[in-house]
Amino acid sequence: MASVSYHISSLLEKMTSTDKDFRFMATNDLMMELQKDSIKLDEDSEKKVVKMLLKLLEDKNGEVQNLAVKCLGPLVGKVKEYQVETIVDTLCANMLSDKEQLRDISSIGLKTVISELPPAATGSTMTANVCKKITAQLTGAIGKQEDVSVQLEALDILSDMLSRLGGTLYSFHSSILTCLLPQLTSPRLAVRKRAIIALGHLVLTCSGSIFSELTEHLLAELKRNESTSTTRTYIQCVAGISRQAGHRIGEHLEKIIPLIVQYCNVDDDELREYCFQAFESFVRRCPKEMDPHISSVMGLCLKYITFDPNYNYDNEEEEEEMMETENGEDEEQESDDEYSDDDDISWKVRRAAAKCLEAIVSSRHDLLQDFYRTLSPALISRFKEREENVKADIFNAYISLLKQTLPTQSWLPSSGASGKDDVPLTMLQNQVPNIIKALHKQLKEKSIKSRQGCFSLLTELASVLPGCLADHIPALIPGIVFSLADKSSSSTMRIDTLSFLHVLLCNHQPEVFHPHVKALLPSVVTCIGDPFYKITSEALLVTQQLVKVMRPLDKPYTFDAKPYVKDLFPGTLKRLKAADIDQEVKERAISCMGQIIYNLGDHLSTDLQPTLKIFLERLKNEITRLTTVKALTLIASSPLKIDLRPILGESLPILASFLRKNQRALKLSTLNALDILVKNYSDSLKPAMIEAVLTELPVLITESDMHVSQVTIMFLTTLAKVYPSCISKISGSVLAEIFQLVHSPLLQGGALNAIIDFFQALVLTKTAAVGYPELVKQLTAPVYSSGSAGASLALHKQAYHSIAKCVAALSSACPKEAPATVNRFVQEVKSPKSSPAVQVLAFLFLAEVGRSTNLSAQRELRAVILEAFSSPSEEVKSAASYALGNVSVGSLKEYLPFVLKEIGSQPKRQYLLLHSLKEVISCSPADSLTPYVEDIWALLFKHCECAEEGTRNVVAECLGKLTLVNPAELLPRLRKQLSAGSPHARSTVVTAIKFTITDQPQPIDALLKGCIGDFLQTLQDPDLNVRRVALALFNSAAHNKPSLIRDLLNSVLPSLYNETKVRRELIREVEMGPFKHTVDDGLDVRKAAFECMYTLLESCLDRLDIYDYLNHVEDGLKDHYDIRMLTFIMLARLSVLCPSAVLQRLERLIEPLRATCSTKVKAGSVKQEFEKQDELKRSAMRAVAALLTIPEVEKSPAMAEFSSQIRSSPEMASLFESIQKDSASLPASESMDMS
């Protein structure tokens, strides 16, 4: 300590030296000392340092002054509060001094001090006291209005303080407001501007009453309209407030809008510009309150976007033609100068109107059709705008319109989407000729900015409506070539042009380009040789696409590509050979050359082999190997049968070595490449080469990576077909791994099908090592070895299904062996010695076989299955029921009537028999079921009022699947049943409809669309259970086929929202011994309702009134544990989908989150209670993390306070950090699957 104070006093002494360099160095050293965390100053040193630094602020030397100011920052945290106050007082006093330099340096000092003050939430009183001191002084200085520069500095510092520590100055808000309002009429515009900025920061944190006072004042002044100049300022102020705290100004808009509309008609360009800026900020920040005014604002925008009083556009057409004929440079110059009117600021009005339109378009997806009717033609007619900045904004507005038109839900099934959603696209299609007419001449203008605008607009257009430019290619090509060849073009200009050309080539039919290849190719090839790597890389992408277009191999063509090869090939080859170029260019050159060989390989003659040798080199290089493997795969699959023999011998061992690498993408691409090579070049590969690859394969088959396993097994299948002799050599090690996989619980889908194909291929190779009996024995071994001791199953349930499928597939591949196997399994089921595991496997096998072959020859089968229905093991029962259903599919005549009879006569076995019936209905083709439909229907309706919910669900599923057989007749019958007396029957019918909705297009869709409204009426059913299944139906529709319900939302949403409320009458108390326990019967229904709300976010967001929606989310945040978990996830999703609405409600949403995050569990609670609370807190914290990603959220005082509370509580801070780590490692869109 002593040494520190000694060191510092020696520095202070040097600071008094007459030599400025000494002073400078000493101050610099002091700065270094102060920045160390360990430094502690005693009171005396503190005083001296502060006094010295304040003195140095008045130093003659500017550099010393600057350093002294910098020292103030670290000093604030190191000295006691009263010292900071001394500093602040001095600085404030200096602010008012006459010396300009001192004033400047003091204001920098104050800003430094403010930025270093600890935030209020850390609990130190220093910040509050210091701020109050500064504020009192500043408001005084601003109010005096003596010297403008003092005022400006003071306003600047005040803004700084309000934005960082607004909440701390709570008590001063009203005095700040009184001080700022008069500044809006200051004679100096700069003062007004800064006052507006300060007010913007003030409204973020001030109380409601102060906000109202401010808006009242602004409204009164706007009505008074003393002078145009002050009115301008007030409108700017309104816009500024709305940008900063749009959610607060919403309720005052009713009064504000008419005034601003009225000022739009005053003949003052600046005033109009501010009016439109205000409109733009209202549209973006208060979408709901703006709704009634949108049409009038849009009308004004359209009127003023053409507002150009000093320029006549009428004679433009002739003039342009004249210019084209004479093509005189000078004339053009003159015509431009004639209009250069420096005082003309009407362009600012046009620009503001265009920006406002862009805001309207991007926030009102629901008005698309109106936009295409009125706005689109108006914008297209303004593409001729003469002022570049305005034109850029007009293009942006139109691009925004195109982006809104992109069908957002690409998963909407095509049949469901037709009709309403296509209208905007059709309207756009009709306007394409006008767009091209307005743009194609501009593509050859001198101005780079407007050309870039044109290209980005056309790029968007080609992506939104693929194929729409087909008829206009001739008009566009000259412009493209011009921009590519133009020497004056900047590199970004050429990159934009190339990327447009790429989109164009990808989205249109090849034929339309054939006439233009000759014009396009040379300029693209020149770009490949461009020294700037980004241009080269784009040009290679374009060339790759162009090659596909020149010679499409998948359809007949008349175009002869041969003459162009000599242009294309050398340029690409040069880039392929170069080793010292950018990684991206290397990769694209490899892909591009691969495409050239794939499409034009037969025209390359002697060039082909040397090029392939380069590929071999690239294959050996770690950086380019993946891209090269992909390119080789492409070449090997070419229908031109490219001769790869010279490089096969060397490349196969290299490819084999890639299978050992850790890089997963490389393994997968290599397996694909090997597969294609073996298929297409089997005659050129020697067994020795293949064996090198084979030894690498067994390791790749593992349950830890199912996809790699699947691709490996598909490759093995190819090998088994092409080289049966090789397979027999390694079958042992590969089969061991595959059996391991078959017995894994994770095996399903693609990997399982790959294994089945492999087994079939293997049995057909007829190699002695592995025959049918051996394979079946190996597959079923674990089931037999499990012994008969336990009644439970040895393997996972999924494994039995996999084994059964494999054995059934082997039997179908060897028809001679099949009957014996079927007999063997039937006997095993009969034998009382068989363990349940063996019986389950036998039934599943019979099910697989029975589905495709008629087993009615097996006389004992029926009796055996029925007997199994009374087995003690549940697994055996359900396997038997599954078998009965599937065997019936293979022989409907013999089995279906029997199943129906049994259902009628055996009430005890009903559940199992209904499951069999469900299998029959699900797996049989519709036409074979038709004769039985009436009987099944009648039978099911007998059982639809069953008291067991499980049975009712199976009945409902059968009804739903049966309805799909003949929807036109059966759907109306279901509809009639809605009026049935018993709630059970109604719930069965509603659930049945749920099973008719799938995510694929189906013939029933059109019929469903007509009547799903009637089924959703049950959301208002008096019975709780019926309401719950109605919600499940609604959720399923919203998830799988939103088109069914989009137009019904207006009538359905009120009932849905109604179900989210807690019903007191459904909460009852249950006594459990000495304890009372509350049970809420309405919980399941509420949960279902919130699940529906979540699904709607994904599929029908544009049809929701998001503010109404948020009201219910808010209620959910305070509900039961399950529902809170759901609403936290909804909140996280909402902050991504509609951040501005969430921002408006932030205060109300944060409270429940804060409550959840800071609850404490009672000390004596059970473990589950702790875990539950922990999970809740994590989920709430995830929502908080999502809220924090909203732009501008930090301006909200509630959020700022909460996040500082999180930081200051160790428990919450660590939780928050772990959430952020998790989210960083997850993919971007984290959503909840609730289908």
Side-chain angles (χ1 to χ4, degrees), residues 106-180:
S106 306
S107 75
I108 296 172
L110 275 174
K111 283 182 190 162
T112 315
V113 170
I114 291 170
S115 66
E116 286 297 328
L117 286 173
T122 50
S124 87
T125 53
M126 171 162 97
T127 306
N129 296 340
V130 171
C131 284
K132 285 172 185 163
K133 260 202 160 32
I134 301 180
T135 311
Q137 302 255 18
L138 288 181
T139 43
I142 296 171
K144 282 195 184 131
Q145 287 201 2
E146 284 164 6
D147 183 348
V148 177
S149 58
V150 173
Q151 265 186 315
L152 287 177
E153 287 295 348
L155 283 165
D156 214 11
I157 295 169
L158 190 62
S159 296
D160 246 20
M161 206 156 51
L162 282 170
S163 71
R164 205 172 157 269
L165 309 157
T168 329
L169 302 174
Y170 205 76
S171 50
F172 278 94
H173 281 176
S174 63
S175 65
I176 294 177
L177 185 66
T178 356
C179 150
L180 287 175

Side-chain angles (χ1 to χ4, degrees), residues 1157 1177-1186 1188 1203-1226:
C1157 286
K1177 281 183 188 173
R1178 283 192 80 77
S1179 191
M1181 210 43 109
R1182 273 192 205 105
V1184 175
L1188 285 169
S1203 54
S1204 59
Q1205 185 183 341
I1206 291 176
R1207 280 195 301 271
S1208 56
S1209 137
E1211 183 193 354
M1212 285 206 263
S1214 65
L1215 181 61
F1216 185 67
E1217 270 165 34
S1218 74
I1219 297 275
Q1220 287 203 307
K1221 277 199 197 94
D1222 292 353
S1223 62
S1225 61
L1226 277 174

Side-chain angles (χ1 to χ4, degrees), residues 110-267:
L110 275 174
K111 283 182 190 162
T112 315
V113 170
I114 291 170
S115 66
E116 286 297 328
L117 286 173
T122 50
S124 87
T125 53
M126 171 162 97
T127 306
N129 296 340
V130 171
C131 284
K132 285 172 185 163
K133 260 202 160 32
I134 301 180
T135 311
Q137 302 255 18
L138 288 181
T139 43
I142 296 171
K144 282 195 184 131
Q145 287 201 2
E146 284 164 6
D147 183 348
V148 177
S149 58
V150 173
Q151 265 186 315
L152 287 177
E153 287 295 348
L155 283 165
D156 214 11
I157 295 169
L158 190 62
S159 296
D160 246 20
M161 206 156 51
L162 282 170
S163 71
R164 205 172 157 269
L165 309 157
T168 329
L169 302 174
Y170 205 76
S171 50
F172 278 94
H173 281 176
S174 63
S175 65
I176 294 177
L177 185 66
T178 356
C179 150
L180 287 175
L181 287 177
Q183 303 313 318
L184 292 176
T185 51
S186 154
R188 292 291 295 269
L189 287 181
V191 174
R192 297 188 196 181
K193 230 177 203 149
R194 291 206 185 167
I196 291 176
I197 294 171
L199 282 169
H201 290 307
L202 174 70
V203 289
L204 277 173
T205 49
C206 69
S207 63
S209 56
I210 287 182
F211 188 79
S212 306
E213 188 184 331
L214 170 62
T215 28
E216 293 304 319
H217 175 82
L218 292 173
L219 277 168
E221 290 295 331
L222 279 175
K223 282 186 186 137
R224 270 180 50 205
N225 187 15
E226 213 163 84
S227 72
T228 319
S229 132
T230 54
T231 305
R232 276 186 218 153
T233 306
Y234 285 122
I235 288 181
Q236 265 183 302
C237 186
V238 171
I241 290 172
S242 146
R243 268 191 293 276
Q244 289 286 357
H247 50 284
R248 301 186 73 166
I249 206 166
E251 58 214 58
H252 303 277
L253 279 187
E254 277 307 305
K255 300 177 193 150
I256 298 175
I257 300 262
L259 288 170
I260 299 187
V261 168
Q262 163 198 329
Y263 286 124
C264 275
N265 302 322
V266 177
D267 192 16

Side-chain angles (χ1 to χ4, degrees), residues 459-571:
T459 309
E460 197 64 46
L461 182 62
S463 326
V464 173
L465 259 186
C468 69
L469 298 173
D471 309 340
H472 309 287
I473 302 283
L476 295 172
I477 295 291
I480 295 175
V481 174
F482 173 75
S483 273
L484 289 180
D486 180 19
K487 289 283 166 280
S488 64
S489 287
S490 65
S491 50
T492 42
M493 178 71 247
R494 284 149 94 181
I495 293 172
D496 285 356
T497 313
L498 285 166
S499 66
F500 164 62
L501 183 53
H502 186 239
V503 171
L504 196 65
L505 291 168
C506 292
N507 285 335
H508 291 75
Q509 291 303 319
E511 303 75 78
V512 297
F513 297 105
H514 287 163
H516 308 289
V517 171
K518 192 171 179 185
L520 270 177
L521 201 58
S523 47
V524 176
V525 172
T526 320
C527 286
I528 295 183
D530 195 278
F532 183 40
Y533 76 96
K534 282 199 168 151
I535 295 183
T536 311
S537 128
E538 277 296 325
L540 285 165
L541 260 190
V542 171
T543 312
Q544 190 175 341
Q545 200 54 40
L546 223 124
V547 172
K548 290 185 199 168
V549 165
M550 278 160 55
R551 188 175 180 189
L553 294 176
D554 49 354
K555 51 168 111 179
Y557 54 91
T558 49
F559 182 73
D560 178 22
K562 190 163 187 186
Y564 300 105
V565 177
K566 61 179 190 309
D567 300 335
L568 267 176
F569 182 75

Side-chain angles (χ1 to χ4, degrees), residues 55-94:
K55 187 174 160 201
L56 287 179
L57 286 181
E58 302 182 34
D59 197 280
K60 293 191 212 45
N61 182 289
E63 288 175 347
V64 177
Q65 281 184 328
N66 287 340
L67 261 184
V69 163
K70 279 187 190 155
C71 287
L72 291 177
L75 188 68
V76 169
K78 304 276 190 294
V79 297
K80 296 197 175 48
E81 189 178 321
Y82 72 90
Q83 295 291 5
V84 180
E85 290 183 18
T86 317
I87 298 177
V88 169
D89 281 338
T90 318
L91 289 173
C92 286
N94 289 350

Side-chain angles (χ1 to χ4, degrees), residues 412-420 422 1000-1003 1005-1006 1009 1041 1043:
L412 276 177
S414 48
S415 62
S418 62
K420 196 149 187 215
D422 290 353
Q1000 259 57 48
Q1002 294 240 353
D1005 293 346
K1009 197 164 182 172
K1041 282 223 177 84
S1043 50

